[in-house]
Amino acid sequence: MKKLTAQRITPSWTYHGEGPCWSAEWGGLAWVDMLAGDVMTFGPRDEPRRQDVGAVAACVRPRETGGQIIAVERGVVLTDREGTLQREVTLWDTPDVRMNEGGVAPDGSFYVGSMAYDQAEGEATLYRVAPDLDWEPVLENVTISNGIAWSPDGALAYYNDTPSHEVVVFDWFPEAGLQNRRSFVRPVVDDDAAAAATDPGEQYEPGSVTANPDGLTVDSEGAVWTALNGSGQVHRYLPDGTLDTVVSVGAKQVTACTLGGEDLRTLYITTSRENLPADVQPTAGSLYSVRVAVPGQVTRAFAG
């Protein structure tokens, strides 16, 4: 097993950094400051550039026709290449639930899930938004719907409902969608990485932290990279479930990851300051990155 250490590449620009995505559509990396409602990109001098879309910006993906599909508090919006809003679709009205993470399936549809603001068990849903913007629930009784991504051949979909403490895998079919749910792996926290993310003066007790799978991505070899929130690490699992790599991140609240860069071999990692006092975890809310051996997949674009 390999052990890597990610480097901090930005200041703490975000309160709740999430949803990194690499695309030529916006010239590189985008991510979200979720609870500020901002899509984040880099300006010409690597300064933060914010695109506000409302109360929540949960995740962003490119569109085949140019522009973005963005999960917002209670639905999705479509923008053009200039960031101008073109369409908005609301999926529910209740104020107690918001969107969270998502991804684009091989058929060009957008799978995106929700969570209750109070994280109530079973109150979330995973939805499929078709290219014509028709939508349907595809997985109910979820608690915190998080990362979803597909194998290179499109036959498998990996998915995290964070409080389950496991990564699951489905068979995926263009007509039938997600089928045959089963456990892929139940991550175990690496104590060395967790200790490295602990503030100076704070004692880390080995075995005291539970693995909380958050955002994930799948690379070009079909291996699954998943962020483990609360333990300052990202794990890479081979298609047979073998733990291959542990990446140490200098902040506990690791939220998501994606592969990008010109060769798709830079792992970008988002972190969060959500609910943290000002005097702890000073690097939380920053972006981290590390170079890896295997490139990622080209980001699929929403077909609508």
Side-chain angles (χ1 to χ4, degrees):
M1 185 186 71
K2 297 180 283 295
K3 292 199 172 186
L4 304 173
T5 300
Q7 302 301 310
R8 186 186 187 199
I9 62 171
T10 72
S12 299
W13 282 340
T14 62
Y15 175 70
H16 187 41
E18 264 278 14
C21 178
W22 182 274
S23 175
E25 176 60 33
W26 43 72
L29 186 69
W31 70 108
V32 297
D33 193 352
M34 185 180 289
L35 301 179
D38 291 342
V39 177
M40 308 284 293
T41 52
F42 288 108
R45 292 173 296 280
D46 287 341
E47 76 278 11
R49 185 167 52 195
R50 291 176 177 265
Q51 171 191 355
D52 186 76
V53 295
V56 169
C59 66
V60 58
R61 290 295 185 272
R63 298 171 62 195
E64 287 182 359
T65 56
Q68 307 157 314
I69 183 168
I70 305 167
V72 293
E73 188 174 29
R74 299 172 200 163
V76 299
V77 298
L78 301 182
T79 71
D80 63 18
R81 283 198 168 97
E82 286 69 48
T84 302
L85 179 66
Q86 291 187 321
R87 299 257 332 253
E88 180 169 4
V89 178
T90 299
L91 276 64
W92 65 85
D93 295 321
T94 173
D96 302 327
V97 175
R98 66 166 174 84
M99 282 295 194
N100 203 38
E101 264 278 20
V104 176
D107 65 350
S109 61
F110 186 47
Y111 281 67
V112 61
S114 64
M115 61 175 285
Y117 275 102
D118 65 1
Q119 302 184 14
E121 183 177 355
E123 292 300 311
T125 301
L126 179 67
Y127 299 91
R128 176 184 180 270
V129 181
D132 63 3
L133 299 183
D134 281 348
W135 57 272
E136 62 179 335
V138 294
L139 189 63
E140 298 180 308
N141 298 313
V142 177
T143 300
I144 300 178
S145 186
N146 242 308
I148 186 167
W150 279 259
S151 59
D153 64 2
L156 300 173
Y158 297 91
Y159 175 67
N160 289 340
D161 179 5
T162 297
S164 72
H165 308 298
E166 69 175 349
V167 183
V168 300
V169 60
F170 295 85
D171 298 319
W172 185 85
F173 303 93
E175 296 300 325
L178 301 172
Q179 300 290 322
N180 306 322
R181 177 177 180 159
R182 58 217 182 258
S183 179
F184 173 62
V185 67
R186 293 187 69 89
V188 175
V189 167
D190 181 273
D191 283 326
D192 291 338
T198 302
D199 285 345
E202 180 185 356
Q203 186 69 33
Y204 174 74
E205 183 68 31
S208 62
V209 178
T210 301
N212 297 303
D214 203 317
L216 62 77
T217 192
V218 180
D219 66 28
S220 59
E221 289 186 349
V224 178
W225 297 83
T226 185
L228 298 183
N229 200 325
S231 57
Q233 54 202 271
V234 176
H235 289 188
R236 180 181 190 253
Y237 292 94
L238 301 179
D240 66 0
T242 300
L243 177 61
D244 173 76
T245 305
V246 173
V247 179
S248 295
V249 184
K252 291 180 183 179
Q253 293 186 172
V254 177
T255 54
C257 56
T258 196
L259 287 155
E262 294 299 320
D263 58 1
L264 300 180
R265 288 181 49 223
T266 298
L267 184 72
Y268 291 98
I269 303 161
T270 49
T271 65
S272 173
R273 291 206 59 80
E274 186 180 16
N275 298 325
L276 291 178
D279 60 346
V280 304
Q281 292 282 290
T283 68
S286 305
L287 276 174
Y288 285 78
S289 73
V290 65
R291 294 287 289 166
V292 300
V294 178
Q297 302 182 62
V298 174
T299 299
R300 291 188 181 96
F302 178 61

